[in-house]
Amino acid sequence: MKVTSSSAILGALVGGLFAGFSGLAMADAELDKQVNTPGAWPIATGGYYSQHNSPLAQINKSNVKNVKAAWSFSTGVLNGHEGAPLVIGDMMYIHSAFPNNTYALNLNDPGKIVWQHKPKQDASTKAVMCCDVVDRGLAYGAGQIIKKQANGHLLALDAKTGKTNWEVEVCDPKVGSTLTQAPFVAKDTILMGCSGAELGVRGAVNAFDLKTGELKWRAFATGSDDSVRLAKDFNKDNPHYGQFGLGTKTWEGDAWKIGGGTNWGWYAYDPKLNLFYYGSGNPAPWNETMRPGDNKWTMTIWGRDLDTGMAKWGYQKTPHDEWDFAGVNQMVLTDQPVNGKVTPLLSHIDRNGILYTLNRENGNLIVAEKVDPAVNVFKKVDLKTGTPVRDPEFATRMDHKGTNICPSAMGFHNQGVDSYDPESRTLYAGLNHICMDWEPFMLPYRAGQFFVGATLAMYPGPNGPTKKEMGQIRAFDLTTGKAKWTKWEKFAAWGGTLYTKGGLVWYATLDGYLKALDNKDGKELWNFKMPSGGIGSPMTYSFKGKQYVGSMYGVGGWPGVGLVFDLTDPSAGLGAVGAFKELQNHTQMGGGLMVFSL
């Protein structure tokens, strides 16, 4: 890591948005101010608890039909736009796909750019980015906008002027390691992980000092217990999950050194426990024959101490993953009664099609339910051991061509940020409904080249209304894991949902619509056709007493690689081109933000 510049930074940490709405309380004065400002949106996931909801209710079921476009902003970049902008005070901060431009707008006059940061990056970086050149967003802390660049650099920009306070190198594109996720700020720490498991990158979570950019600690997903940073009492309440020495013993030889486990998704943080939570991703290569063993600690939900990085517990959802079920999806923190006692919980919908709920203090598994009856790779999850019970018919071994495997490698849930209603204890999830055929092949590892070893064909799952649907919005009771209602979509619901207290569930569609549903039954109450497909997560804010809803547009991401890069081979894009061949008939490229109000 190299620090290229630094300066004194003023201000206090800003963090968990709408924590009062989600039951979170903090002591920091500046953070308390943000907590009590429901019109702000300073964290990509809506707050430390990652509930992605809002107490704003000016827009509600009775008047949403009157919502109109208020203003828009083009980023000037055409690739996929994931994530959402931030709002702090009277300022909005917008990001773009590669080359990772950042724009600051004053909400008093959003037509004028206050400052812009447009980095110059080597175009060769794009060649090692899996599944489009997306950027999942920004972070805010200590009066700074924290951003990353695909080329592996992490920066702190003065929120008022855009001046670079410091810049550090986190990962190296020459070996296939890039940055795509939204940084996460808690206390005086920035959490950041690199992408690149599809190129054999060894995954790690990195903690940087918010003030200086200095590396505090780094915790790998594979390797020795010291490098994985396992506490002395790691998994003491659940020793059956596995404890020590497994980051090397569950791999053949030195395969753990190129074993994947990257984290490029979302973090959540519990200030009371001082633990943060995230998922490590898929092992490398995808071809399971080349890496015997459970391949720990890829595919794991982690609970780590924020200050030291030491892991208190880790639960591997898919030992020896053979389907690319990268487990980096959102972790939603809630406090709910379990056996009559209010318990700190973590809920997570994994790519493998299972909705998990665990005690976030010790990792005890409480619920593991299929999010869709089409899930067939597992018959069930054993709640006593936490182990999934596989169906060998849907394995991917070299002597068995897998067909009708559900979910596909895209998972029944991917990078989208979903939302939670604490009053009804309901999680509103944007899901995929895509299955696949899988044909493995052997290949050597070469640094900086794709290290996959499988050819995929993807197609709609079997149980949609017309068997052509590839997406759905589904409401889940988090106390049981059972579905309440489903709204089907033609294409994958890639960006996730937003819940607002007006009783509305908002989401963007790949074919370009922003929609609002009734949270009680999923009935569509409003929609608007945006200039391009939506793969980001809607957000909301208020300014001068008026509520606004914002959504990025810009088709792309893994589902849109065929359209974005003009690919026609159905197996290209790791199978996405064939699955989404019709997308080009519904939308075209474009990148920006649409903002709506009454």
Side-chain angles (χ1 to χ4, degrees):
M1 183 190 75
K2 180 181 178 182
V3 179
T4 57
S5 64
S6 64
S7 68
I9 299 171
L10 301 176
L13 174 65
V14 174
L17 172 66
F18 306 141
F21 187 56
S22 61
L24 177 63
M26 294 295 292
D28 180 83
E30 176 62 18
L31 186 54
D32 279 346
K33 178 182 177 181
Q34 292 297 320
V35 166
N36 294 311
T37 307
W41 195 265
I43 294 182
T45 54
Y48 278 171
Y49 271 27
S50 191
Q51 294 185 356
H52 209 242
N53 55 26
S54 169
L56 297 180
Q58 187 180 84
I59 301 174
N60 54 53
K61 297 178 188 180
S62 65
N63 63 21
V64 67
K65 63 180 180 293
N66 299 320
V67 165
K68 306 292 184 184
W71 57 275
S72 63
F73 180 83
S74 171
T75 65
V77 177
L78 295 181
N79 289 78
H81 282 56
E82 294 181 345
L86 303 182
V87 172
I88 298 98
D90 61 0
M91 296 293 291
M92 175 181 281
Y93 302 93
I94 301 171
H95 65 284
S96 82
F98 187 95
N100 312 113
N101 298 332
T102 303
Y103 301 93
L105 307 181
N106 190 304
L107 294 174
N108 288 293
D109 182 10
K112 182 179 180 181
I113 300 171
V114 177
W115 58 259
Q116 52 190 297
H117 182 269
K118 303 175 77 172
K120 304 297 182 184
Q121 300 183 65
D122 193 325
S124 65
T125 298
K126 296 190 289 184
V128 295
M129 297 181 72
C130 170
C131 320
D132 201 7
V133 294
V134 298
D135 181 331
R136 296 186 179 88
L138 308 164
Y140 175 76
Q144 303 176 114
I145 295 300
I146 310 301
K147 69 172 289 184
K148 46 69 190 61
Q149 297 172 179
N151 64 1
H153 288 228
L154 181 70
L155 300 84
L157 309 178
D158 185 288
K160 293 182 178 179
T161 66
K163 177 179 176 290
T164 301
N165 289 334
W166 53 258
E167 180 174 351
V168 299
E169 184 178 345
V170 184
C171 50
D172 184 3
K174 292 180 181 178
V175 297
S177 185
T178 57
L179 291 180
T180 61
Q181 76 175 164
F184 187 87
V185 173
K187 294 169 66 174
D188 60 350
T189 298
I190 304 167
L191 299 174
M192 194 75 224
C194 299
S195 303
E198 277 63 47
L199 295 95
V201 172
R202 180 187 176 201
V205 57
N206 307 279
F208 296 93
D209 185 277
L210 179 62
K211 181 178 180 180
T212 66
E214 293 289 344
L215 180 68
K216 290 184 168 187
W217 51 260
R218 173 174 290 145
F220 287 95
T222 67
S224 68
D225 292 348
D226 287 341
S227 63
V228 182
R229 299 186 76 83
L230 302 185
K232 293 181 179 180
D233 60 351
F234 175 69
N235 274 350
K236 71 179 180 64
D237 293 322
N238 293 285
H240 51 281
Y241 289 174
Q243 291 185 286
F244 304 106
L246 302 178
T248 54
K249 292 179 182 177
T250 59
W251 295 83
E252 187 174 66
D254 289 339
W256 57 269
K257 293 181 179 179
I258 52 173
T262 56
N263 68 95
W264 43 265
W266 311 97
Y267 301 100
Y269 173 59
D270 183 336
K272 295 177 182 177
L273 299 175
N274 199 41
L275 296 178
F276 74 93
Y277 308 90
Y278 70 103
S280 54
N282 57 284
W286 288 11
N287 185 339
E288 59 90 24
T289 304
M290 298 175 64
R291 45 172 175 78
D294 278 356
N295 308 134
K296 297 186 186 300
W297 290 94
T298 64
M299 306 301 298
T300 297
I301 298 175
W302 294 97
R304 292 187 182 272
D305 183 275
L306 179 67
D307 298 330
T308 66
M310 301 303 290
K312 183 175 182 179
W313 59 266
Y315 167 60
Q316 189 179 37
K317 298 154 294 179
T318 308
H320 186 67
D321 171 42
E322 53 185 301
W323 305 278
D324 181 43
F325 291 154
V328 303
N329 305 352
Q330 176 188 13
M331 309 290 168
V332 180
L333 309 187
T334 65
D335 297 310
Q336 299 185 51
V338 176
N339 297 324
K341 180 183 178 181
V342 176
T343 305
L345 301 180
L346 176 153
S347 294
H348 166 84
I349 300 179
D350 199 69
R351 290 246 294 257
N352 67 15
I354 304 297
L355 167 58
Y356 298 90
T357 295
L358 303 90
N359 182 317
R360 68 175 180 268
E361 187 170 12
N362 55 28
N364 289 346
L365 182 62
I366 299 170
V367 172
E369 291 282 344
K370 295 181 180 182
V371 298
D372 189 294
V375 174
N376 59 22
V377 292
F378 302 140
K379 297 178 180 179
K380 66 175 183 177
V381 175
D382 187 322
L383 290 179
K384 292 183 178 179
T385 65
T387 305
V389 180
R390 281 168 152 86
D391 187 332
E393 180 180 348
F394 304 106
T396 64
R397 59 189 181 274
M398 288 292 292
D399 62 344
H400 172 79
K401 182 178 180 180
T403 59
N404 298 313
I405 298 170
C406 302
S408 76
M410 284 186 170
F412 273 1
H413 189 281
N414 204 280
Q415 65 85 37
V417 182
D418 293 317
S419 56
Y420 174 70
D421 171 13
E423 295 178 351
S424 65
R425 295 176 183 157
T426 303
L427 179 69
Y428 304 102
L431 303 177
N432 306 324
H433 185 64
I434 305 170
C435 301
M436 67 177 175
D437 299 339
W438 178 291
E439 186 171 358
F441 60 86
M442 306 294 281
L443 79 169
Y445 168 76
R446 294 186 178 92
Q449 296 187 23
F450 277 84
F451 188 47
V452 175
T455 300
L456 278 62
M458 297 190 198
Y459 39 81
N463 57 312
T466 68
K467 294 183 170 53
K468 295 181 180 180
E469 291 79 11
M470 291 191 289
Q472 53 189 312
I473 303 298
R474 184 164 282 189
F476 293 96
D477 183 332
L478 275 193
T479 62
T480 65
K482 303 297 184 182
K484 292 183 173 183
W485 53 256
T486 300
K487 169 73 163 59
W488 289 94
E489 287 288 343
K490 179 177 179 62
F491 298 109
W494 197 255
T497 70
L498 165 74
Y499 172 72
T500 56
K501 203 173 182 179
L504 298 170
V505 180
W506 305 79
Y507 66 102
T509 69
L510 270 168
D511 50 353
Y513 287 91
L514 180 65
K515 297 185 177 183
L517 308 182
D518 187 316
N519 72 310
K520 297 299 182 184
D521 56 15
K523 179 182 178 181
E524 187 173 316
L525 302 178
W526 175 89
N527 69 64
F528 183 94
K529 187 71 161 69
M530 299 188 294
S532 181
I535 59 172
S537 304
M539 52 79 71
T540 189
Y541 68 96
S542 67
F543 186 66
K544 293 185 176 180
K546 193 170 187 176
Q547 181 183 359
Y548 296 85
V549 174
S551 177
M552 303 292 286
Y553 64 83
V555 71
W558 193 356
V561 292
L563 189 160
V564 169
F565 297 110
D566 196 23
L567 304 174
T568 57
D569 181 351
S571 67
L574 303 172
V577 173
F580 292 92
K581 58 182 180 295
E582 290 186 35
L583 187 58
Q584 63 181 340
N585 299 327
H586 295 265
T587 190
Q588 288 296 310
M589 296 169 66
L593 172 74
M594 290 288 302
V595 178
F596 303 87
S597 66
L598 289 170

